[in-house]
Amino acid sequence: MAYGFGGKILRVDLTHERIEIEKLDDAFYRRYIGGMGFVAYHLLREVKPGTDPLGPDNRLYFFTGVLTGIPVPGTGRNSIGAKSPLTGGFGESEVGGFFGVELKRTGYDGIIIEGKASHPVYLVVHDDTCEIRGAEPMWGKSTKESREMILEELGDDKVKLAQIGVAGENQVRIASIICDLRYAAGRGGMGAVMGSKNLKAVAVRGTKKPAIARPDKVMELARWMADNSKALVPSYHDIGTGSGVIGMSQSGGLPTRNFRSGSFEGVESLSPYTMRGNILKKMDGCFACPVKCKRVVEVESPYRVDPAYGGAEYETIASFGSNCGISDLRAIAKAHELCNAHSLDTISTGVAVSFAMECYENGILTKEDTGGLDLRFGNAEAMLALVDMIARREGLGAILAEGTARAAQRIGKGSERFAIHSKGQEIPMHEPRWKRGLGIGYAVSPTGGEHCSNVHDPMYEKDTPDMESVRVLGIIDTIPIDDLGPRKVRLFTYLLLYRYLQNSLVVCQFVPWRPDQISDLVSATTGWNTSVWELLKVGERSANMARLFNLREGFTAQDDRLPERFFEPEEAGGLGGLDRGRFEDALELHYAMMGWDMNGVPTRGKLYELGLEWALD
Amino acid sequence: MRVWVRTFGDIYLPQAPNGLDHSLDIPPGSTLGDLLGILMIPPESVGIMSVNGARANESRLLHEGDRVDISSPIGGG
């Protein structure tokens, strides 16, 4: 008997309306473990080079991991992957909530969508049964409206949904997939892939709890986290991920006005204390999690914000707030609601808006281009209007819907220098001129600008719980924030492997499990006699498969780049720019530590070591 | 003298009703470092501190009505 996984996945061909069950053997699970690992493996195996990301030959993957759905904090996540229409490379995004748990309980560990339906459809998986149903009445509706229609049609309010709104339907390249209104697989344009397949939603309902090899040990670990999470991450629990905005602004690390500055004069208005005292309705969370870092907000005026969509995370607060020069939490809450209703990524959308604002203030865009919007930094009404235009591909929104990099190419006139992206994906709300190691991660990330599988340097400057966590990996001494030398590269490289393991399992980074505890959890759940060593190799396999996929698509070391802006100082006496020579040295050293050659290509030795010889070509 | 304290990140104030922010009386002439001692916050757990919105270090002298923000090292979000 298999523990921790069902051993089978669904393959749904929408073109031919064919549904098949595929079985995966135990060794496959132990080698790739789920989530990102499964996505990377399948992308390499079955999506041919040059495939149109928005064509029927692309795949859309929904995968859980071996820990998904066990009654332990941090396991309520799943991964969604595809070839990204935003970058043209490896695309993968993880999402919290309850969808992954419900999917796992159907008995299937994942769903592969291929082809394209001839008309709008949604997929229903209820335990062993799977059905493709018409979604014409739901097409064009918001996520909330279509969710209500689907739940009513199925007559079951326990169904969990992954769905798109109009941005996904319109194949906006920064469209997200929204799970149960409040949880977003935001990055890489996964929603556009879903829309390209005419797939409005995936509905799952399962009644089979995953089998656990040693339930007593799993429960012991769950109790430990329940007892300690409040002390380990108190502010996530009480005020959420926006806890850092004040300190970041004071450090010069809060992206402000399209990354021109790192300090925002209106930051107090974005503080979690301001949110708590004004618009916060309650804290909320994911499956089996005591941390409850999610927020639910409610606003009556000047905008009505529906609490059904939850509330803004830190990334959203900064991307629509300081980075657009906006200090009104109510407007940010409205932008968040629009993004979840339309299925837009809040990071990429916010950066697309701030890019357009900088173009406008520099005369590259005029009111003629913006449809009359006075698109200066700080104009909340204009920001909200533009978000809606992006989702609907209207006017300037149609250009920005292609993502910031493509928009800059289209607009020209020197706007390229305002496009803050890596590999075509917009940079998240963390400043690499402050967190210097983070810049390496932005540059080498296979999905483009990405902050989760990355090093957040301040956490390793002092004896924090994060520092204690990496000591398990052999990183013993603390390292200064501005260090970009070999010690920082080693920290980043080890952390990357651990983050990719987390993305493969698929577990949350905000639940502060140490690597040794994760190893204990995997052992207790699956019955495998595993170790931190073996599991880091799973993360390393994921990193190398994603890298190989991008190389096959034509990416080179030249694509491991940061926007020029980060090599220049911040405005108004802020932080200095990155040193290009030190940055290039750090990248080269990272390649070497990964077992990649000078061009960033995994060596034969590395692929054989990881058991990826099948990928040698 | 009375000062207002808010914490961010992984710093918890057992003395505060909600564990995160409260006001308290401290001896005149106290520094930010003294305040950390009164609040039993280990200096090594602090990433950034500010007084009335301006970054400050442990030697900063506090005054009546000051608003103190204390943040642990800041990670992702």
Side-chain angles (χ1 to χ4, degrees), chain A residues 496-534:
Chain A
L496 189 69
L497 305 185
Y498 184 53
R499 297 299 184 217
Y500 284 163
L501 168 66
Q502 291 176 310
N503 292 352
S504 299
L505 277 168
V506 188
V507 295
C508 181
Q509 295 182 18
F510 292 162
V511 180
W513 293 113
R514 295 190 315 267
D516 53 311
Q517 293 172 311
I518 287 289
S519 175
D520 288 346
L521 270 173
V522 173
S523 289
T525 300
T526 62
W528 302 335
N529 183 21
T530 192
S531 63
V532 173
W533 167 268
E534 184 190 14

Side-chain angles (χ1 to χ4, degrees), chain A residues 480-615:
Chain A
I481 293 176
D482 58 358
D483 186 307
L484 201 50
R487 289 191 305 159
K488 183 62 67 66
V489 176
R490 179 167 169 260
L491 167 65
F492 166 68
T493 303
Y494 281 18
L495 258 181
L496 189 69
L497 305 185
Y498 184 53
R499 297 299 184 217
Y500 284 163
L501 168 66
Q502 291 176 310
N503 292 352
S504 299
L505 277 168
V506 188
V507 295
C508 181
Q509 295 182 18
F510 292 162
V511 180
W513 293 113
R514 295 190 315 267
D516 53 311
Q517 293 172 311
I518 287 289
S519 175
D520 288 346
L521 270 173
V522 173
S523 289
T525 300
T526 62
W528 302 335
N529 183 21
T530 192
S531 63
V532 173
W533 167 268
E534 184 190 14
L535 293 175
L536 282 185
K537 289 295 166 188
V538 174
E540 195 170 3
R541 261 178 223 113
S542 295
N544 279 273
M545 289 188 293
R547 184 82 185 175
L548 288 171
F549 183 80
N550 278 354
L551 291 167
R552 210 179 61 178
E553 294 295 332
F555 286 82
T556 70
Q558 293 304 310
D559 295 297
D560 292 339
R561 287 290 171 267
L562 282 179
E564 280 302 303
R565 177 153 290 177
F566 296 132
F567 296 99
E568 301 160 359
E570 293 177 354
E571 287 184 351
L575 299 174
L578 287 169
D579 180 283
R580 195 180 303 275
R582 290 179 67 203
F583 180 74
E584 299 287 343
D585 286 348
L587 269 182
E588 194 177 304
L589 199 50
H590 172 65
Y591 288 174
M593 287 186 189
M594 288 294 291
W596 299 348
D597 68 16
M598 294 279 286
N599 297 313
V601 178
T603 59
R604 289 178 70 243
K606 177 50 68 180
L607 295 182
Y608 272 111
E609 188 227 325
L610 295 172
L612 295 177
E613 55 273 16
W614 56 266

